[in-house]
Amino acid sequence: MMKPTPELPLPVVLFVDDEPSLLRAMTRSLSRQPYTLITAESAVEGLAILAERTVDIVVSDERMPGLAGSDFLRRIRAAYPKIVRIMLTGDPGLPSAVHAINAGALYRFLSKPVSFDELCRTLRQAAHMQRVQADSSALRR
Amino acid sequence: MSGQTSMVFEDLVAVERSVIAAAPMAMLLLDADGYIVLANARAERCFSCSSLEGSTFEALVDAESRLRWRGMAAGRRDVAPPAGEDTACSVELRGLRPGRTFLMEVSLAPLGATSAMTLVVVRDVTSDRAREQQQEAAIRASRDTCLRLDLLLTFAPAFIIEVSRQGTIEFINQTLPQYTREGTIGSSWLQYFAPSRHAFMAEVLEEVYTSGATRSYEVSTPAPDGSVVWFESRIAPMRMAGQIVGAVLVSQDITERKRVEGEVIAGRPMALLGTLASGIAHEINTPVQFVGDSIHFLRDAVSTLFALFDQIQELRRAAIAGSPMAAIALAAEKAEDEADLPFLRVNVPQAFDSCISGLARVATIVRSLKDFVHPSEGDMLPADLNRAIQSTVAIAINEYKYFADVRTELGELPLVTCRLSDIAQAILNIIVNAAHAIEGVVGGTEERGEITIRSWREGEWAVISIRDTGTGIAESIQARVFDPFFTTKEVGKGTGQGLAIARTAVNEHHRGQLTFETRLGEGTTFFIRLPIETPPSTSTSAEIDAGVAAS
């Protein structure tokens, strides 16, 4: 696995999905990518993690027991506006998903099954955007 | 003798004259040639002329009337009426006044067989006639309106019925099919509806009369020949001076529409699947996602291992050739490090397992979908009911997996002659309802409900039971559970057709029974009983319906 360079810590990506198989597969396939990967099996678990540590990018499914993905991402936008929010769902037609997109709660919307290349590209662009935003707000201070 | 006669005559003439002068109507005395010898005051007023005496009566009527007058006067002169007969006659003429004409009724009476004089009585009937004409016109108009309303009511493509507060039919515009009009008026309106709806109808009528509401509803009516007719009805209060004096009911026969809708729905077995489609899509897309990711990982892992293997081969060649190995060994060690073998040893098998289980999940769903497609219309084939149950459980997984666990206890069943897609569809409807009922209880909490599916054989019957720990069905709606389009769900979550279709399929097409037991707060169990062999065609579905225990 790649070792982080001393200057830049790796972006932290949180995957939230109620399917453990999917979380494991994500972790495996992204293991050689320059990210620190955390997983959560529900929105509630995800929120608990966000309270404990810094996360840069959140990728969430829509259909989950308890809090749905769109609600989860809306809360993150309110509480942690700097986190880049991505939805990865197997059901893009769902009204709640469409609403989340239109309400601007998402940076990007991905439809399962998403190809590995597209996922990597999206994460790369998300990380880049996040870094740029952090730099510009640092400059403004 | 002659002196006496002439004295009597003079007296009579005097009496005549005073009578004419005093008479409360326009009177004129005409001589044999039609000249006016005497006119009373009223006659002068009538013709607005103070010097009538000396002119002819003819001069007092308009040109058109003169001809008629002449004819009549001549007739009176020439033909003496038979003795004893009424000698008066009257005619309508147009009289002349200075500047205008008026309508008058002129009555003639000769003064006696011996006198040549004629008494004329004139009556101004202008306003009379005008009033008569108005009345006639009003009567005509009213008759026309009645006729038109009658046409409207008779040919209206709907029933228009007046219902009294007690529920009796006071008026009906057309006869109900197979009933007589005479038998209908005065009868209770309830007798035309299925008994299960009587309480509801009475409630609706009361509401219309007390609160003046307008209500709409659909209702079925058993016709005397046993067929069922469906109506769409609206009932509203009739008001006079602000008071409710009756209720008017307008009903349209929608039997044909219902039949066509029923056929359309029955002919679209995938309709329910359509509403489940997004859940099914999710259940397929998710495994496809992680299978793809896993394969990606495995490809990377394999190329890493090949790279490592290349290094090992180099090492082996060097060892055999006896060349210096230190550098190669170091390179091999570096490659081994980078490969992270411990990581691969754990994750590669896991990735393979992921692929295998993920593809199996997809295969199950796709295979189960096939069980819902009609192979061909009307083919009843021996089939495995337990397989239908398992397919349905697989297809519906996204509907219940967040709220409930499904347990199946499937007994030994022989092959049952049936249309498996119909049965699977019925089971699917029941499972989806069960999931929603459970969601109603545990939604928002951490708890989960349970759906238990059992199958067993009872003599010549195969029985499937589906029990849920949901809300149960309230008594007030139990009678309507199988009504087409009856639903308690919000928009988008079911159209109420599922159980109606299931019941038609089980009870009518398969000669089976679809029933349920329920307890509010505890849950519901649906039972599907199917004959293992199709029974002989002599038994009718009505007989089977009669034998249905709970419904």
Side-chain angles (χ1 to χ4, degrees):
Chain A
M1 279 209 259
M2 284 179 60
K3 312 254 184 328
T5 55
E7 305 88 34
L8 279 170
L10 289 179
V12 180
V13 183
L14 170 64
F15 279 96
V16 185
D17 196 301
D18 63 310
E19 287 268 2
S21 314
L22 188 132
L23 293 173
R24 272 200 298 273
M26 285 283 157
T27 316
R28 270 200 300 268
S29 60
L30 295 170
S31 57
R32 289 182 185 273
Q33 298 292 316
Y35 306 105
T36 303
L37 301 169
I38 330 175
T39 62
E41 284 182 40
S42 71
V44 169
E45 212 184 300
L47 287 171
I49 293 174
L50 291 173
E52 306 250 305
R53 56 175 301 171
T54 319
V55 168
D56 298 301
I57 302 171
V58 169
V59 180
S60 172
D61 189 10
E62 167 62 11
R63 275 183 182 250
M64 295 188 290
L67 202 59
S70 47
D71 290 329
F72 174 51
L73 292 172
R74 228 191 323 272
R75 287 205 197 178
I76 296 178
R77 180 195 206 182
Y80 311 98
K82 295 217 183 82
I83 296 180
V84 182
R85 302 169 298 277
I86 298 172
M87 185 181 277
L88 169 65
T89 181
D91 182 23
L94 263 189
S96 45
V98 172
H99 181 70
I101 299 163
N102 292 339
L106 299 182
Y107 164 72
R108 193 70 63 87
F109 175 88
L110 298 170
S111 195
K112 281 183 200 165
V114 66
S115 74
F116 182 71
D117 291 334
E118 197 185 341
L119 180 62
C120 287
R121 191 171 48 231
T122 306
L123 289 175
R124 201 166 48 237
Q125 288 167 349
H128 179 73
M129 188 190 81
Q130 222 242 359
R131 208 163 36 240
V132 164
Q133 280 180 347
D135 287 346
S136 66
S137 60
L139 283 173
R140 271 191 244 115
R141 273 196 232 109
Chain B
M1 193 72 79
S2 58
Q4 267 185 339
T5 312
S6 62
M7 198 172 59
V8 167
F9 180 75
E10 271 157 20
D11 282 341
L12 277 177
V13 166
V15 166
E16 272 176 19
R17 284 174 187 259
S18 50
V19 162
I20 287 172
M25 54 194 83
M27 275 189 178
L28 301 147
L29 215 51
L30 306 184
D31 68 10
D33 299 318
Y35 281 88
I36 298 169
V37 297
L38 188 62
N40 71 356
R42 285 194 188 248
E44 283 168 2
R45 259 207 308 275
C46 184
F47 289 99
S48 298
C49 175
S50 47
S51 54
L52 289 173
E53 284 149 20
S55 50
T56 60
F57 185 74
E58 237 183 60
L60 296 177
V61 302
D62 76 354
E64 198 215 321
S65 303
R66 265 174 225 160
L67 289 169
R68 273 189 286 145
W69 166 255
R70 282 186 207 149
M72 211 170 98
R76 300 301 305 129
R77 272 202 304 279
D78 297 342
V79 181
E85 249 193 38
D86 185 0
T87 55
C89 66
S90 56
V91 65
E92 213 171 87
L93 300 171
R94 252 205 130 74
L96 293 173
R97 274 184 197 139
R100 54 196 180 91
T101 63
F102 67 101
L103 214 56
M104 56 186 185
E105 189 182 78
V106 175
S107 306
L108 294 167
L111 283 193
T114 52
S115 169
M117 299 246 244
T118 311
L119 179 65
V120 174
V121 178
V122 174
R123 202 161 65 87
D124 183 343
V125 296
T126 323
S127 50
D128 283 356
R129 287 285 169 269
R131 202 175 30 237
E132 269 168 43
Q133 270 166 3
Q134 268 175 359
Q135 279 175 348
E136 264 167 45
I139 290 173
R140 256 199 319 276
S142 161
R143 214 177 27 237
D144 283 348
T145 306
C146 276
L147 207 65
R148 179 143 239 114
L149 282 175
D150 197 42
L151 273 180
L152 279 169
L153 287 173
T154 306
F155 291 99
F159 287 103
I160 300 172
I161 301 168
E162 186 190 340
V163 186
S164 74
R165 189 162 191 165
Q166 294 72 38
T168 54
I169 295 182
E170 303 294 309
F171 170 85
I172 184 164
N173 68 326
Q174 297 158 22
T175 51
L176 291 166
Q178 304 175 32
Y179 292 97
T180 66
R181 179 179 291 231
E182 296 67 46
T184 314
I185 305 287
S187 62
S188 160
W189 74 323
L190 288 179
Q191 77 189 61
Y192 303 100
F193 305 117
S196 60
R197 296 290 252 148
H198 286 186
F200 170 73
M201 309 287 298
E203 188 194 295
V204 165
L205 185 65
E206 192 53 32
E207 208 187 315
V208 169
Y209 270 99
T210 51
S211 68
T214 298
R215 291 282 301 266
S216 309
Y217 56 87
E218 282 185 4
V219 71
S220 66
T221 297
D225 71 355
S227 60
V228 172
V229 180
W230 275 92
F231 286 104
E232 181 172 35
S233 300
R234 293 199 74 178
I235 181 168
M238 304 193 297
R239 286 195 160 88
M240 227 158 46
Q243 300 284 81
I244 295 176
V245 298
V248 57
L249 167 64
V250 180
S251 284
Q252 285 194 314
D253 186 329
I254 56 169
T255 312
E256 192 56 28
R257 187 187 91 190
K258 284 277 192 199
R259 188 187 65 80
V260 169
E261 280 175 346
E263 279 186 0
V264 165
I265 289 152
R268 289 195 294 147
M270 306 295 252
L272 174 62
L273 282 187
T275 65
L276 300 186
S278 68
I280 295 173
H282 185 268
E283 289 300 311
I284 292 180
N285 286 332
T286 299
V288 169
Q289 172 75 59
F290 65 70
V291 167
D293 293 336
S294 299
I295 296 214
H296 227 100
F297 165 75
L298 289 169
R299 189 178 63 177
D300 270 357
V302 168
S303 55
T304 306
L305 289 173
F306 276 139
L308 187 57
F309 191 61
D310 287 342
Q311 297 287 338
I312 306 294
Q313 274 189 323
E314 285 274 328
L315 207 54
R316 177 178 50 77
R317 281 195 216 107
I320 290 171
S323 338
M325 297 200 299
I328 304 171
L330 262 173
E333 194 185 39
K334 186 157 176 273
E336 207 180 302
D337 243 351
E338 277 181 14
D340 194 351
L341 282 177
F343 180 77
L344 290 182
R345 280 192 207 280
V346 168
N347 282 280
V348 163
Q350 274 186 7
F352 277 119
D353 287 342
S354 249
C355 289
I356 292 169
S357 67
L359 286 174
R361 264 169 76 169
V362 173
T364 305
I365 293 181
V366 172
R367 196 175 38 237
S368 303
L369 276 173
K370 279 196 341 183
D371 280 341
F372 287 83
V373 176
H374 279 312
S376 63
E377 206 68 25
D379 271 11
M380 293 266 193
L381 300 170
D384 181 358
L385 288 182
N386 287 336
R387 201 185 85 196
I389 294 171
Q390 283 156 343
S391 296
T392 315
V393 168
I395 283 282
I397 186 170
N398 200 267
E399 295 293 306
Y400 60 74
K401 76 177 187 187
Y402 301 124
F403 314 110
D405 301 308
V406 166
R407 202 171 73 208
T408 57
E409 294 165 15
L410 306 180
E412 283 279 327
L413 284 179
L415 295 180
V416 174
T417 307
C418 69
R419 219 180 290 155
L420 199 61
S421 51
D422 280 359
I423 305 302
Q425 176 109 341
I427 300 173
L428 180 61
N429 272 295
I430 296 170
I431 289 181
V432 168
N433 283 350
H436 294 163
I438 291 176
E439 185 184 352
V441 170
V442 306
T445 70
E446 292 294 309
E447 289 170 28
R448 294 173 70 78
E450 198 173 75
I451 301 176
T452 312
I453 306 178
R454 291 199 182 93
S455 67
W456 67 93
R457 176 177 187 161
E458 255 175 38
E460 290 312 304
W461 299 82
V463 188
I464 301 171
S465 77
I466 301 158
R467 190 172 80 84
D468 67 63
T469 59
T471 54
I473 302 173
E475 209 172 300
S476 57
I477 55 175
Q478 278 178 26
R480 309 196 58 195
V481 163
F482 295 110
D483 276 1
F485 305 107
F486 172 74
T487 180
T488 56
K489 298 182 186 158
E490 70 244 18
V491 171
K493 252 201 153 177
T495 51
Q497 300 151 359
L499 287 180
I501 299 173
R503 186 162 218 223
T504 309
V506 171
N507 287 21
E508 291 177 27
H509 300 160
H510 288 82
R511 312 266 191 237
Q513 291 168 13
L514 175 58
T515 59
F516 67 89
E517 282 166 13
T518 185
R519 198 162 270 182
L520 261 188
E522 284 183 22
T524 307
T525 308
F526 273 87
F527 295 92
I528 301 177
R529 290 168 64 90
L530 293 170
I532 292 176
E533 301 290 332
T534 331
S537 52
T538 48
S539 63
T540 62
S541 70
E543 286 164 23
I544 291 176
D545 265 342
V548 163
S551 70

